[in-house]
Amino acid sequence: KAGVTQTPRYLIKTRGQQVTLSCSPISGHRSVSWYQQTPGQGLQFLFEYFSETQRNKGNFPGRFSGRQFSNSRSEMNVSTLELGDSALYLCASSPNSYTQPQHFGDGTRLSIL
Amino acid sequence: EDQVTQSPEALRLQEGESSSLNCSYTVSGLRGLFWYRQDPGKGPEFLFTLYSAGEEKEKERLKATLTKKESFLHITAPKPEDSATYLCAVQPGGADGLTFGKGTHLIIQP
């Protein structure tokens, strides 16, 4: 069974640009969550999508947005990039319930110059 | 505010030297506590889910336990391949995402 796939693996952008990251969940999983991982803050929850609807949102500015498609694939967009947005962005999927474990992809490493 | 604190931040052990990692949490209604392992350049790999105090789960050299305020990950006779960062996360009772601790960086020396 294929795991969670994130593309691209690495990305370099400059301040002010925008970026879109992609996530394909495990087949059959309907919930997709996004996390930001930095050395200082660790893993922080961005948002979760379920059946194409944002179900939860973390404490991040509106520059961070996402969406989910009917096949459960998800995209995350960050506009007006700042140096502090440099991080590993992780996507995780789970079948449905909040109590079921989330399975993570290997992330997209975003570097802002 | 939900909070997860892991200790120690880093731990260096000799191969075969057993130890425990701690995860203390404060959360409004615990739906589940999760342990993950993360290797450099990789995403977190799921290890265990614990739902209620007194619950225990085992997998090879790892055993996770849960009380009302903390969880322990016991590592018995570790091997160098057990070297990784171990992350603890809680799923609060509300409609929020996982809250993670900062992790314990574990090194097992041959």
Side-chain angles (χ1 to χ4, degrees):
Chain A
K1 197 174 186 181
V4 177
T5 303
Q6 291 189 246
T7 56
R9 288 296 315 277
Y10 303 94
L11 209 47
I12 299 175
K13 292 285 186 179
T14 57
R15 282 183 299 172
Q17 287 186 309
Q18 74 164 12
V19 67
T20 299
L21 313 181
S22 180
C23 172
S24 293
I26 292 171
S27 178
H29 285 194
R30 297 168 64 193
S31 169
V32 173
S33 297
W34 288 89
Y35 293 83
Q36 181 194 67
Q37 186 174 31
T38 59
Q41 299 298 317
L43 270 146
Q44 292 184 287
F45 172 70
L46 281 156
F47 32 66
E48 183 214 357
Y49 284 86
F50 180 80
S51 292
E52 302 177 66
T53 301
Q54 187 179 89
R55 191 158 64 173
N56 301 302
K57 190 177 190 309
N59 192 23
F60 277 81
R63 298 185 298 107
F64 292 82
S65 63
R67 59 177 176 169
Q68 186 180 34
F69 302 96
S70 58
N71 61 358
S72 294
R73 191 177 70 83
S74 177
E75 287 182 347
M76 186 190 111
N77 185 274
V78 188
S79 62
T80 318
L81 287 166
E82 301 177 359
L83 292 176
D85 296 334
S86 293
L88 180 66
Y89 289 89
L90 292 160
C91 167
S93 74
S94 66
N96 188 359
S97 164
Y98 289 115
T99 56
Q100 293 172 304
Q102 297 178 11
H103 295 272
F104 285 80
D106 286 335
T108 294
R109 172 74 62 186
L110 176 63
S111 299
I112 311 302
L113 303 179
Chain B
E1 184 183 331
D2 303 323
Q3 219 167 7
V4 177
T5 303
Q6 291 188 245
S7 61
E9 289 184 16
L11 182 61
R12 189 182 296 265
L13 300 172
Q14 291 296 123
E15 184 174 0
E17 182 184 359
S18 302
S19 187
S20 296
L21 312 182
N22 177 263
C23 170
S24 298
Y25 63 90
T26 54
V27 64
S28 50
L30 181 70
R31 286 179 183 250
L33 184 141
F34 304 88
W35 281 98
Y36 287 87
R37 166 197 171 124
Q38 187 172 25
D39 293 298
K42 298 281 191 178
E45 175 190 346
F46 170 71
L47 293 173
F48 302 109
T49 307
L50 301 166
Y51 294 109
S52 56
E55 191 174 0
E56 298 182 353
K57 294 272 179 75
E58 279 189 74
K59 179 181 177 181
E60 296 181 0
R61 296 177 292 283
L62 299 176
K63 178 180 175 180
T65 62
L66 181 65
T67 72
K68 287 187 176 178
K69 293 190 175 182
E70 57 191 352
S71 176
F72 292 93
L73 185 65
H74 307 278
I75 303 178
T76 302
K79 298 181 178 181
E81 53 262 40
D82 295 322
S83 298
T85 297
Y86 290 85
L87 297 164
C88 171
V90 296
Q91 175 70 65
D96 296 322
L98 295 178
T99 298
F100 277 86
K102 296 278 181 72
T104 293
H105 182 51
L106 178 65
I107 297 173
I108 308 299
Q109 293 180 306

